[in-house]
Amino acid sequence: KLSPRSSILTYLIKYYKLDIEISTDTESESFIKLFPLRKTPTFIGNDGFQLTETIAIGIYFLSMIPNHDLLGDNDQEFASIIRFLSMLNQEGAMSWVGAFFRLSGRLPYNKEIIDENLITLDIIGQILDKRLANDRISGYLVGDKISYADLYGVKLFGIALYTLLGEPYLTKYPNFAKWFKRVSNHKFFRGQYKDIKFPQQQLTYPGSEDWLVVSYYILMLRNFQNKTTVYSELEFYIESI
């Protein structure tokens, strides 16, 4: 199944036309032997070179692309990009999972854990909103142009906003909202977010797993244009972390 951590890499492959085969075969004996933690994404090169962890794989993919400018113009910008990638991948993604899975019925309801994760997402919103408020000219997380941190951030927060946080989060953090709209319209995303409408309310506990299956399938298919991405990412919500 493709998670947001994996799907950002498939977008890199397709947008930059990299000669890399995409596979979702994660249950085979050969995969488990190579990657015993059974976590994705993973990468195997033609020479046997192996990588795990989405940030490492993403940077390696970018090294294959001539004349790209997604990793900054100097060491400070590169370090700042890694900073945001790490925060979004760790605290951001795991806090979304920690709250969404319990509110949707995938994991047992636990108000204390849910509240802790929502607080973390709020802190991240404050950090990003403040950063973007101090850089009104460029409107990007690092430097004066779009970087891999921006693309990665939109991919992760697009899911968090749609399934959990909704419009209240965008209203609360207006600089973040402007940034999300601007970056999500980049051609890199192939129109995935063009007509997206986020829920008017933050997700609350419905008390029924059927609500997750029915409501989000309908909403996703109604608002997203990229149906392949919809199915793969929704499978991630329901089937795995």
Side-chain angles (χ1 to χ4, degrees), residues 77-221:
E77 288 190 358
F78 177 75
S80 295
I81 289 168
I82 299 301
R83 169 208 173 191
F84 283 114
L85 288 171
S86 299
M87 180 181 68
L88 292 164
N89 182 57
Q90 184 61 35
E91 287 83 5
M94 295 311 297
S95 295
W96 165 70
V97 168
F100 175 66
F101 272 44
R102 288 175 173 83
L103 285 169
S104 65
R106 176 62 178 172
L107 292 176
Y109 180 83
N110 186 309
K111 186 178 187 302
E112 182 177 355
I113 295 177
I114 291 169
D115 288 344
E116 288 175 356
N117 284 289
L118 290 175
I119 287 172
T120 299
L121 289 170
D122 262 331
I123 293 172
I124 293 173
Q126 293 168 20
I127 293 171
L128 297 182
D129 203 66
K130 182 178 180 180
R131 170 72 185 101
L132 293 162
N134 292 334
D135 201 6
R136 293 181 182 278
I137 296 177
S138 73
Y140 299 116
L141 291 177
V142 179
D144 60 0
K145 55 183 175 292
I146 199 167
S147 74
Y148 189 50
D150 296 296
L151 299 177
Y152 193 89
V154 163
K155 204 74 182 74
L156 285 174
F157 261 103
I159 294 171
L161 288 165
Y162 207 86
T163 61
L164 175 66
L165 301 171
E167 286 289 344
Y169 197 87
L170 296 172
T171 301
K172 190 173 184 179
Y173 304 113
N175 298 308
F176 168 88
K178 292 176 184 177
W179 163 83
F180 184 90
K181 183 176 182 180
R182 181 178 187 180
V183 178
S184 66
N185 283 328
H186 192 278
K187 56 185 178 180
F188 178 83
F189 294 107
R190 298 173 290 166
Q192 180 186 359
Y193 303 99
K194 182 180 179 181
D195 299 315
I196 189 170
K197 295 181 181 179
F198 295 114
Q200 293 301 307
Q201 302 294 328
Q202 180 176 292
L203 180 64
T204 56
Y205 186 64
S208 171
E209 293 186 12
D210 292 338
W211 173 88
L212 169 67
V213 177
V214 177
S215 297
Y216 277 101
Y217 259 108
I218 293 173
L219 289 171
M220 284 284 188
L221 294 176

